Amino acid sequence: MRELLLVKYGEIYLKGLNRPYFMHALVERVKQAVKDLGGKVWLYDARIFVEGASDMTECIRRVTRVFGVHSVCPARALDKADFAAICENAAEMMASKRGTFKVDSRRSDKTYPMTSPEMNAEIGGYILDRNPDLTVDVKTPEHRLNVEIRDECYLYSEVIMAVGGMPVGTGGKACLLLSGGIDSPVAGYMIAKRGVELVAVHYFSYPYTGEQAKQKVLDLAKILSEYCCGIKVYVVPFTDIQMQIHEKCHEEYTTLIMRRFMMRIAERIAEKEECGALITGESLGQVASQTMEALNTTNMVVKMPVFRPLIGFDKSDIIAYAQKIGTYETSSLPYEDCCTVFTPRHPATKPKMNIVLSSESRLEGDRLIEEAIANTEIVKF
Ligand code: ATP
Ligand code: MG
């Protein structure tokens, strides 16, 4: 008997002819996740198997965080010809259980001498004889012993739910505008979950925002990188741009113009990184710069599509999501962001285009953008 993990995939099953491409990508992602634990990973018959990891608990934690994985089942692998051993192991696995149970057998090896109902009856009877605390309930059992007859026989009773989604890299690459707030890490997670590789851009305004604020963003990127197989963060100095905007533009328009500059620079980095879209954590009506009119004004400066996965989310929903993925605590640390440094008292919620353009014409836009990009620092996780 050997112990291993049987990994089930999620939405990939909907794929048709290109399913092998997605499966291959998923196997690669699982391999990457368990590499330094020494786990061996292989694909057989619509299941991924992981065996031999030095730390099983850590291995499970990592595999359940790989996008594309539906669930992970700690399993016992046995010689399928040895039915006595299968019964014995099944009884052992159910020995500590009480209440109702069911044996659920399936065979992809159709030459196997027993049918699934026959196996259910035999193994179920064997378990019942050895555990008086169990009774059978085939409709809504409290416990389920799964038996899969493939190249070998696999037994498992525990199904640990994983993150779902699609394997990272199968959906292209996008550039996340990552602040230190609650929203943008969640937005990045959601798009990465759909199979998209992430590159992040963070604007910081030293000395108005300090080292700790920057470190907070890097910590968030590190958390995200665990899900999305690594992340490259562009840290862009934004102080000069903010200072000029503050000095030369209408006060009510400063946030909006600042956001337009963020989008322009992000698009330049995204083009260089061959990304197909930008991602922000904006949510309709959350703040003045996120009214429909304001969002249109920021959209206008880029040609690339802008993904805003949180657009219809309430803040409370976003917080719950951030707690679930493990970014909330870091996001809640009280460090300032460049957005909050020069916040106008009455930001424009229905901006007028002629004022936006006349304000921007007073700035040395191109030079500021070139300089910011030239002084960018890259951090990789
Ligand atoms: P978050 O939205 O992440 O909680 P926030 O609320 O401080 O942070 P907003 O003012 O709501 O940020 O900004 C909207 C979006 O603009 C963010 O979700 C993020 O995508 C982007 N953004 C804001 N500040 C920055 C920054 N300093 N660097 C990169 N992107 C930023
Ligand atoms: Mg926000």
Side-chain angles (χ1 to χ4, degrees), residues 183 281 286 290 315:
D183 307 332
Q286 190 186 79
Q290 293 170 33
K315 195 76 186 185

Side-chain angles (χ1 to χ4, degrees), residues 15-306:
K15 300 288 168 197
L17 288 177
N18 51 4
R19 191 189 296 180
Y21 163 71
F22 287 92
M23 287 306 303
H24 176 75
L26 183 57
V27 171
E28 286 308 310
R29 296 289 94 87
V30 174
K31 276 185 184 165
Q32 221 172 324
V34 303
K35 197 169 154 201
D36 60 319
L37 300 174
K40 187 176 154 234
V41 180
W42 72 97
L43 175 71
Y44 181 85
D45 201 14
R47 295 274 188 258
I48 294 169
F49 297 89
V50 184
E51 188 176 359
S54 55
D55 179 344
M56 213 35 162
T57 313
E58 175 62 11
C59 185
I60 292 171
R61 193 186 78 84
R62 291 198 199 170
V63 179
T64 50
R65 285 171 162 227
V66 173
F67 291 135
V69 173
H70 168 269
S71 52
V72 175
C73 314
R76 293 186 182 191
L78 298 149
D79 177 1
K80 64 185 170 186
D82 189 351
F83 194 68
I86 295 174
C87 289
E88 212 171 291
N89 274 275
E92 244 175 67
M93 288 167 75
M94 299 304 278
S96 62
K97 308 266 196 280
R98 24 183 94 230
T100 58
F101 86 109
K102 166 187 186 180
V103 176
D104 218 337
S105 303
R106 67 176 77 182
R107 31 170 228 167
S108 70
D109 171 8
K110 300 294 179 200
T111 64
Y112 197 66
M114 292 174 85
T115 64
S116 300
E118 281 166 1
M119 280 189 281
N120 290 344
E122 285 285 332
I123 301 169
Y126 194 91
I127 293 170
L128 274 179
D129 287 346
R130 278 149 193 85
N131 185 344
D133 295 327
L134 283 175
T135 53
V136 172
D137 177 352
V138 291
K139 286 221 175 84
T140 51
E142 289 167 79
H143 312 288
R144 212 176 269 265
L145 181 85
N146 297 278
V147 183
E148 295 193 5
I149 304 287
R150 298 176 184 274
D151 54 337
E152 300 183 81
C153 169
Y154 300 97
L155 299 181
Y156 59 93
S157 60
E158 194 187 355
V159 179
I160 304 162
M161 292 311 289
V163 279
M166 301 294 286
V168 168
T170 57
K173 196 170 172 186
C175 176
L176 168 68
L177 283 84
L178 181 63
S179 73
I182 295 165
D183 307 332
S184 48
V186 175
Y189 175 97
M190 284 178 150
I191 298 298
K193 187 167 181 248
R194 298 307 303 161
V196 176
E197 188 184 339
L198 296 185
V199 170
V201 178
H202 175 67
Y203 302 98
F204 85 112
S205 297
Y206 189 79
Y208 300 100
T209 64
E211 266 313 307
Q212 282 175 313
K214 181 170 137 192
Q215 190 53 48
K216 175 184 172 185
V217 174
L218 296 179
D219 290 346
L220 286 169
K222 186 158 185 292
I223 299 173
L224 281 180
S225 75
E226 278 199 29
Y227 293 101
C228 51
C229 313
I231 194 167
K232 197 187 215 181
V233 188
Y234 283 78
V235 184
V236 183
F238 208 55
T239 318
D240 291 349
I241 294 179
Q242 280 198 294
M243 295 297 279
Q244 267 214 14
I245 294 172
H246 184 64
E247 279 161 22
K248 298 185 177 173
C249 301
H250 280 275
E251 195 201 346
E252 312 89 86
Y253 282 70
T254 51
T255 305
L256 200 67
I257 291 170
M258 184 190 76
R259 301 204 48 75
R260 281 163 61 96
F261 273 86
M262 285 185 176
M263 298 298 264
R264 288 181 177 114
I265 295 172
E267 189 179 50
R268 288 276 297 272
I269 292 169
E271 276 166 357
K272 182 178 149 244
E273 283 284 342
E274 300 182 337
C275 295
L278 303 176
I279 307 164
T280 77
E282 289 160 315
S283 150
L284 193 60
Q286 190 186 79
V287 287
S289 62
Q290 293 170 33
T291 62
M292 210 185 292
E293 293 85 346
L295 289 173
N296 279 337
T297 314
T298 38
N299 247 11
M300 258 171 218
V301 299
V302 290
K303 290 192 285 298
M304 232 177 236
V306 182

